[in-house]
Amino acid sequence: MNHTILLGKNVEVIQCSNRYEVGIKGLVIEDTKNTIKIRTENGVKVLIKNNIILMVNDRKIDGNLLIGKEEERIKRM
Amino acid sequence: MGWKERKATRKKVASDRIKELLKFSELHKDDELLSTNSIKTAVAISRRHKIRIPIKSKRKFCKKCSTVFIPDKTVRIRTGKGKITYTCLNCGHIKRIPYLKEKKEVKNKKLEI
């Protein structure tokens, strides 16, 4: 039973279909069904989980596996 | 794995997650967004998986807007007429709790003496 926890973790974007979003780093503030809110040096950014590959805790995770609210993701695994 | 084992593991994972989230919000009291969002997810998990939050931790945040209570900054605490009133300074919601048990204990101690 391992579902990834995102709230309060430091996160970096490795790959994205939007080339201007690659390299964004920060702390996760909010975690909704399809998006993540990150606080960076330049302000708060909203990222879409569909087309992203993240680096969390020194592990690569695909954004498609993280879709859904946290209470729904606990059931899944 | 039968459905009973699956249900037991799901409930255990959910209750551990709720305890972690409540501790996390206590640690990061200064950060408004982090603490309110962690309490909102804890309440959502307890609603979805039918797990009760302990009473003592229920009194540490506002039921309506999920802000953590910090005396003199986000809450006003007063006593009167046998009740403690917590007024949230963010949304204006009022919570009143009686303290009759403590009064009875004090009375019983005085009678013993």
Side-chain angles (χ1 to χ4, degrees):
Chain A
M1 291 279 165
N2 37 3
H3 73 288
T4 44
I5 300 174
L6 286 174
L7 242 197
K9 307 268 175 168
N10 280 313
V11 143
E12 185 178 356
V13 178
I14 296 176
Q15 211 175 316
C16 183
S17 61
N18 181 0
R19 62 189 162 109
Y20 295 107
E21 284 185 0
V22 175
I24 290 183
K25 272 195 233 180
L27 182 77
V28 176
I29 300 177
E30 195 175 339
D31 175 16
T32 68
K33 189 177 172 187
N34 283 321
T35 65
I36 311 175
K37 265 194 191 175
I38 293 185
R39 182 192 285 156
T40 65
E41 297 167 342
N42 302 328
V44 175
K45 308 267 179 186
V46 179
L47 301 171
I48 302 180
K49 289 180 183 174
N50 240 338
N51 41 11
I52 253 184
I53 295 185
L54 288 176
M55 186 82 157
V56 183
N57 281 342
D58 305 328
R59 277 169 66 207
K60 272 193 197 179
I61 299 177
D62 190 7
N64 279 316
L65 298 172
L66 299 169
I67 287 183
K69 300 182 200 170
E70 190 161 350
E71 59 258 29
E72 307 286 326
R73 272 189 278 146
I74 287 180
K75 278 197 308 179
R76 215 183 280 167
M77 314 224 184
Chain B
M1 259 212 285
W3 65 273
K4 281 190 183 176
E5 290 163 348
R6 261 183 274 148
K7 184 177 172 183
T9 47
R10 174 177 63 93
K11 293 246 176 182
K12 205 200 166 216
V13 167
S15 61
D16 290 341
R17 186 72 188 123
I18 288 176
K19 285 180 194 170
E20 275 180 31
L21 278 168
L22 290 171
K23 267 189 204 175
F24 186 78
S25 74
E26 275 289 315
L27 275 179
H28 296 261
K29 268 191 203 177
D30 310 331
D31 196 346
E32 292 175 8
L33 283 175
L34 257 188
S35 48
T36 48
N37 282 328
S38 53
I39 286 178
K40 278 185 187 173
T41 46
V43 167
I45 292 175
S46 87
R47 239 182 240 156
R48 184 78 180 78
H49 297 276
K50 297 186 194 169
I51 296 172
R52 288 191 179 177
I53 300 180
I55 300 178
K56 293 198 176 176
S57 25
K58 266 195 214 175
R59 294 185 185 171
K60 295 184 183 174
F61 56 90
C62 175
K63 232 179 169 181
K64 217 176 169 190
C65 65
S66 316
T67 44
V68 178
F69 280 162
I70 305 173
D72 273 349
K73 283 190 189 171
T74 51
V75 77
R76 183 191 302 145
I77 306 180
R78 299 282 181 265
T79 56
K81 298 182 182 177
K83 296 191 184 169
I84 306 179
T85 53
Y86 296 86
T87 315
C88 174
L89 295 175
N90 206 6
C91 65
H93 185 64
I94 296 175
K95 182 190 266 191
R96 292 192 182 97
I97 304 173
Y99 56 92
L100 296 171
K101 269 189 196 174
E102 283 85 354
K103 270 186 175 178
K104 276 187 186 174
E105 279 175 16
V106 170
K107 260 191 188 177
N108 290 336
K109 276 187 184 174
K110 280 186 183 176
L111 285 173
E112 280 172 20
I113 296 169

